[in-house]
Amino acid sequence: MPVSRKGDNNIYTRGFANVAGFEQKIKNATSLQSIERFLGSRYFKINPKSYARHNTIEFRQHSGTVEFEKISNWVRFLGNLITFSETNTVTDATLQGLAAFNNQEIMTYLTNRTNKLKTR
């Protein structure tokens, strides 16, 4: 992701790392409503309010684009992540760790994109 979409650089796509006690709160959550309550906002990389309201998951991190290559790889990446997460836990969020659930084509795209963004 570009710097503008990472971490707390963008108030509309905040990460969960700065939510005090996030992991324990998720483990203790008994409903979607309890997750919505402790987060209190939709402006995270994953919108915690969208499922209750629209019965969908909203991934907010990617910036808007009309470039097919970006859209296609992002959708396939998210599909792989969701499928993997049904029975596994992502324990390595590094670029290399993403190979556990992505094919070589997507990994090549992610590697090239990462390298391109490093040079900016």
PDB file of all heavy atoms in Angstrom, residues 13 25 35 43 54 83:
ATOM      1  N   THR A  13      -8.594   4.967   7.080  1.00  0.00           N
ATOM      2  CA  THR A  13      -8.161   3.567   6.948  1.00  0.00           C
ATOM      3  C   THR A  13      -7.202   3.193   8.079  1.00  0.00           C
ATOM      4  O   THR A  13      -6.143   2.623   7.861  1.00  0.00           O
ATOM      5  CB  THR A  13      -7.471   3.315   5.592  1.00  0.00           C
ATOM      6  OG1 THR A  13      -6.332   4.176   5.478  1.00  0.00           O
ATOM      7  CG2 THR A  13      -8.413   3.552   4.437  1.00  0.00           C
ATOM      8  N   LYS A  25      -9.929  -8.019  23.082  1.00  0.00           N
ATOM      9  CA  LYS A  25     -11.312  -7.599  22.881  1.00  0.00           C
ATOM     10  C   LYS A  25     -11.981  -8.425  21.780  1.00  0.00           C
ATOM     11  O   LYS A  25     -13.151  -8.805  21.910  1.00  0.00           O
ATOM     12  CB  LYS A  25     -11.385  -6.107  22.548  1.00  0.00           C
ATOM     13  CG  LYS A  25     -11.088  -5.219  23.738  1.00  0.00           C
ATOM     14  CD  LYS A  25     -11.078  -3.754  23.349  1.00  0.00           C
ATOM     15  CE  LYS A  25     -10.776  -2.879  24.547  1.00  0.00           C
ATOM     16  NZ  LYS A  25     -10.684  -1.465  24.202  1.00  0.00           N
ATOM     17  N   ILE A  35     -18.226  -5.798  18.909  1.00  0.00           N
ATOM     18  CA  ILE A  35     -17.063  -5.321  18.162  1.00  0.00           C
ATOM     19  C   ILE A  35     -17.300  -3.887  17.696  1.00  0.00           C
ATOM     20  O   ILE A  35     -16.433  -3.026  17.841  1.00  0.00           O
ATOM     21  CB  ILE A  35     -16.766  -6.241  16.953  1.00  0.00           C
ATOM     22  CG1 ILE A  35     -16.330  -7.618  17.449  1.00  0.00           C
ATOM     23  CG2 ILE A  35     -15.701  -5.622  16.042  1.00  0.00           C
ATOM     24  CD1 ILE A  35     -16.224  -8.673  16.371  1.00  0.00           C
ATOM     25  N   TYR A  43     -14.072   3.814  10.199  1.00  0.00           N
ATOM     26  CA  TYR A  43     -12.864   4.254   9.509  1.00  0.00           C
ATOM     27  C   TYR A  43     -11.627   3.451   9.899  1.00  0.00           C
ATOM     28  O   TYR A  43     -10.640   3.986  10.407  1.00  0.00           O
ATOM     29  CB  TYR A  43     -12.650   5.747   9.728  1.00  0.00           C
ATOM     30  CG  TYR A  43     -13.768   6.554   9.120  1.00  0.00           C
ATOM     31  CD1 TYR A  43     -14.604   7.325   9.909  1.00  0.00           C
ATOM     32  CD2 TYR A  43     -14.002   6.516   7.751  1.00  0.00           C
ATOM     33  CE1 TYR A  43     -15.640   8.056   9.349  1.00  0.00           C
ATOM     34  CE2 TYR A  43     -15.038   7.236   7.177  1.00  0.00           C
ATOM     35  CZ  TYR A  43     -15.845   8.000   7.983  1.00  0.00           C
ATOM     36  OH  TYR A  43     -16.866   8.709   7.425  1.00  0.00           O
ATOM     37  N   HIS A  54     -25.040  -3.861   6.117  1.00  0.00           N
ATOM     38  CA  HIS A  54     -25.242  -4.239   4.710  1.00  0.00           C
ATOM     39  C   HIS A  54     -25.060  -5.733   4.441  1.00  0.00           C
ATOM     40  O   HIS A  54     -25.210  -6.167   3.300  1.00  0.00           O
ATOM     41  CB  HIS A  54     -24.266  -3.478   3.812  1.00  0.00           C
ATOM     42  CG  HIS A  54     -24.338  -1.996   3.959  1.00  0.00           C
ATOM     43  ND1 HIS A  54     -25.398  -1.252   3.505  1.00  0.00           N
ATOM     44  CD2 HIS A  54     -23.475  -1.115   4.525  1.00  0.00           C
ATOM     45  CE1 HIS A  54     -25.185   0.028   3.777  1.00  0.00           C
ATOM     46  NE2 HIS A  54     -24.027   0.138   4.398  1.00  0.00           N
ATOM     47  N   THR A  83     -10.573 -17.017   2.118  1.00  0.00           N
ATOM     48  CA  THR A  83     -10.619 -18.477   2.054  1.00  0.00           C
ATOM     49  C   THR A  83      -9.629 -19.094   3.037  1.00  0.00           C
ATOM     50  O   THR A  83      -9.965 -20.014   3.779  1.00  0.00           O
ATOM     51  CB  THR A  83     -10.317 -18.958   0.612  1.00  0.00           C
ATOM     52  OG1 THR A  83     -11.302 -18.417  -0.255  1.00  0.00           O
ATOM     53  CG2 THR A  83     -10.329 -20.470   0.527  1.00  0.00           C
TER      54      THR A  83
END
